[in-house]
Amino acid sequence: MKVKINRQIITAVLFSAFIFTGLFATCCKALNDSERFADLYSAYLGEGKTFPSKAKAAVLTAYESLHNINDIIAFKENYINLFGLVQRVNGVRCVFEEDPELKVVKLDNGALTYVTQKENDLPEKAANVAEFKNSLAEKGIPLMYVQCPFKVQKNNPGLPCGVSDYSNENADNFIAELKKRGVDSLDLRDLFPGEQAGKNPAFFKTDHHWLPQTALLAAGELGKKLNTAYGFNMDLNLLEAEKFKTETHEDIFLGSIGRRVGRYYAGTDDFPLILPEYDTHFSCEFIKKDTPAIKRTGSFEEVWIFREHLKKDYFNVNSYAVYAGGGGSLIHCRSHKIPGKKILMLRDSFGDTLGPFLSLAAGGEITMIDLRYHTGSVKEYIEEFKPDLVLIAYCPTAFKQQYFFTFR
């Protein structure tokens, strides 16, 4: 007698077993965290002893625990990996999120990106930059805006049919608004032909950031502009690729986009650590919010490189943070080898790699401030630091954030 196997029932049973196993493990994990819940309840309760006080503390504890439930879900990384694998097998190129700007899109070359929406307040942001530029001009300090690139190229976007991205349109409009107001700019987006064709990739496959070698190329292009337009005397030979060695750490990095869909949706990235082969000597201070400042003195590698981020832990380690330790609110670095001018760079995370490479040729002193985290006054810092030049270096995703363009 032939036994008929119902594949749908078997699939349903296996899926249910998988879900209930995860639920059971999550409950066990939550029980192990019971002491933390008790501490949270006690903190909300305080000195209260009445029933309403206890009820309020219980509700607040439950709310905060549920709000952070992602932290205790068992097998969470496996769920994400499985989800991404299913999307890949089914040929899905757009993985939707509640926030449209967190939608994961696979480009024609297999790399992952987010897409950006159209920004309508660019004239106001450009006016803020122009006002800032005019206030600096009164002190004899020039300002230049640097447009870092986005993963979606202007002339060859590589997007799936029906998907729109406005990053380059936003950048074009912003630079045009700056030009109207007399603000000088450098557009780095045309440096990287062939990105979508899969030749000479400029970005990590699973992350929104550019590769270190791309940042090195951008630093050289920026150096040319500083020499010709702002009276710098940088030795740009120091930024030539042959002056550097590359350590390739294979299959070590799952970028911020990749972590949303797991390691099997688009694979993982190698991490190329690029280091100068000539003598360098720096002193740097790294300031992050709510943590003690880190002070380092030594070579480029000893100062700018944080090797603890070079390990394979896809969901918990950000390898991009190898350079500059992942940034922070303020970084100040002085070159002891090369005299030079003082540069203040207002930047986003693309500056984590751009700033260190620029410091090799610029010499002197460079301060990098990230306005997302900086709580002090930029204008007061300028009075103290007295820079010879202020740079604003952003990629197009910065346009959606007001704090990047608030300089008070």
Side-chain angles (χ1 to χ4, degrees):
M1 179 175 165
K2 212 175 209 181
V3 179
K4 198 171 182 180
I5 299 174
N6 190 319
R7 293 184 181 179
Q8 290 181 334
I9 292 177
I10 292 175
T11 302
V13 168
L14 291 175
F15 180 75
S16 299
F18 183 70
I19 293 296
F20 280 109
T21 300
L23 181 61
F24 177 74
T26 299
C27 290
C28 292
K29 196 174 178 183
L31 286 173
N32 287 335
D33 281 352
S34 57
E35 187 176 332
R36 181 170 65 86
F37 297 139
D39 291 342
L40 194 58
Y41 174 78
S42 298
Y44 278 123
L45 183 62
E47 300 297 323
K49 296 182 180 178
T50 63
F51 176 76
S53 299
K54 293 177 180 179
K56 181 180 178 182
V59 169
L60 290 172
T61 300
Y63 173 79
E64 185 166 334
S65 300
L66 289 172
H67 187 67
N68 297 313
I69 196 168
N70 277 343
D71 297 335
I72 62 169
I73 292 177
F75 313 129
K76 176 185 172 183
E77 295 172 9
N78 293 329
Y79 288 137
I80 296 172
N81 284 330
L82 179 61
F83 169 75
L85 179 60
V86 171
Q87 305 308 305
R88 178 176 181 173
V89 169
N90 289 322
V92 175
R93 290 186 60 185
C94 297
V95 181
F96 291 89
E97 297 273 356
E98 185 177 350
D99 182 346
E101 293 203 345
L102 293 179
K103 175 172 65 177
V104 176
V105 174
K106 185 178 285 189
L107 298 172
D108 290 346
N109 64 359
L112 304 182
T113 188
Y114 296 128
V115 292
T116 58
Q117 307 301 306
K118 188 171 184 177
E119 299 297 329
N120 297 314
D121 64 346
L122 297 176
E124 291 85 350
K125 289 183 169 76
N128 287 352
V129 174
E131 181 185 350
F132 184 41
K133 176 237 179 190
N134 292 336
S135 70
L136 291 170
E138 294 174 1
K139 301 177 176 63
I141 302 171
L143 177 143
M144 181 174 71
Y145 177 76
V146 180
Q147 184 61 69
C148 296
F150 192 61
K151 211 166 185 179
V152 177
Q153 279 196 321
K154 185 192 296 191
N155 299 321
N156 188 11
L159 293 165
C161 183
V163 176
S164 298
D165 174 82
Y166 293 92
S167 57
N168 287 297
E169 182 179 324
N170 289 338
D172 288 341
N173 292 339
F174 186 70
I175 291 172
E177 292 291 339
L178 291 180
K179 188 174 181 179
K180 278 191 219 174
R181 293 165 173 80
V183 178
D184 190 21
S185 64
L186 173 66
D187 192 346
L188 296 173
R189 289 178 295 159
D190 297 328
L191 285 178
F192 317 110
E195 167 69 13
Q196 299 310 334
K199 301 171 186 176
N200 304 317
F203 291 78
F204 289 103
K205 180 171 58 177
T206 65
D207 197 64
H208 62 290
H209 289 113
W210 53 13
L211 293 163
Q213 54 263 42
T214 313
L216 177 61
L217 179 63
E221 195 70 15
L222 177 54
K224 291 178 190 175
K225 174 84 172 186
L226 297 184
N227 281 353
T228 56
Y230 293 96
F232 279 67
N233 190 28
M234 295 168 57
D235 181 1
L236 299 181
N237 291 323
L238 295 172
L239 299 179
E240 291 180 356
E242 56 267 24
K243 298 285 199 318
F244 292 78
K245 63 181 179 180
T246 301
E247 294 179 11
T248 302
H249 298 261
E250 295 182 354
D251 185 31
I252 197 175
F253 183 34
L254 186 64
S256 60
I257 313 175
R259 286 196 290 272
R260 304 194 72 84
V261 287
R263 59 179 296 195
Y264 301 120
Y265 183 64
T268 57
D269 277 293
D270 298 340
F271 191 90
L273 179 62
I274 297 178
L275 301 169
E277 293 195 290
Y278 47 85
D279 289 338
T280 55
H281 188 205
F282 293 94
S283 292
C284 291
E285 183 175 21
F286 301 82
I287 299 174
K288 292 189 176 183
K289 191 177 178 182
D290 301 327
T291 59
I294 298 172
K295 295 184 179 181
R296 290 178 158 196
T297 299
S299 67
F300 178 91
E301 181 175 355
E302 291 168 331
V303 167
W304 282 112
I305 302 303
F306 291 71
R307 282 187 174 267
E308 60 267 28
H309 298 287
L310 277 177
K311 59 182 179 181
K312 187 186 291 188
D313 188 348
Y314 295 132
F315 287 89
N316 299 301
V317 173
N318 173 22
S319 295
Y320 185 74
V322 167
Y323 285 90
S329 59
L330 187 147
I331 299 172
H332 175 256
C333 203
R334 178 195 297 269
S335 172
H336 298 292
K337 277 279 184 185
I338 303 174
K341 298 185 178 185
K342 292 182 177 181
I343 298 173
L344 172 62
M345 181 192 293
L346 306 180
R347 60 20 169 266
D348 56 18
S349 54
F350 277 57
D352 293 350
T353 43
L354 178 63
F357 288 129
L358 182 64
S359 72
L360 285 167
E365 298 178 55
I366 184 169
T367 293
M368 300 196 296
I369 290 178
D370 190 327
L371 293 175
R372 288 174 292 184
Y373 313 116
H374 188 64
T375 56
S377 164
V378 172
K379 290 187 176 180
E380 286 181 10
Y381 187 81
I382 287 169
E383 292 288 345
E384 176 188 341
F385 183 51
K386 296 180 172 56
D388 297 293
L389 173 71
V390 173
L391 299 174
I392 300 175
Y394 294 149
C395 84
T397 56
F399 295 133
K400 65 182 179 181
Q401 306 292 354
Q402 185 61 45
Y403 44 66
F404 276 127
F405 300 92
T406 303
F407 308 108
R408 290 186 294 275

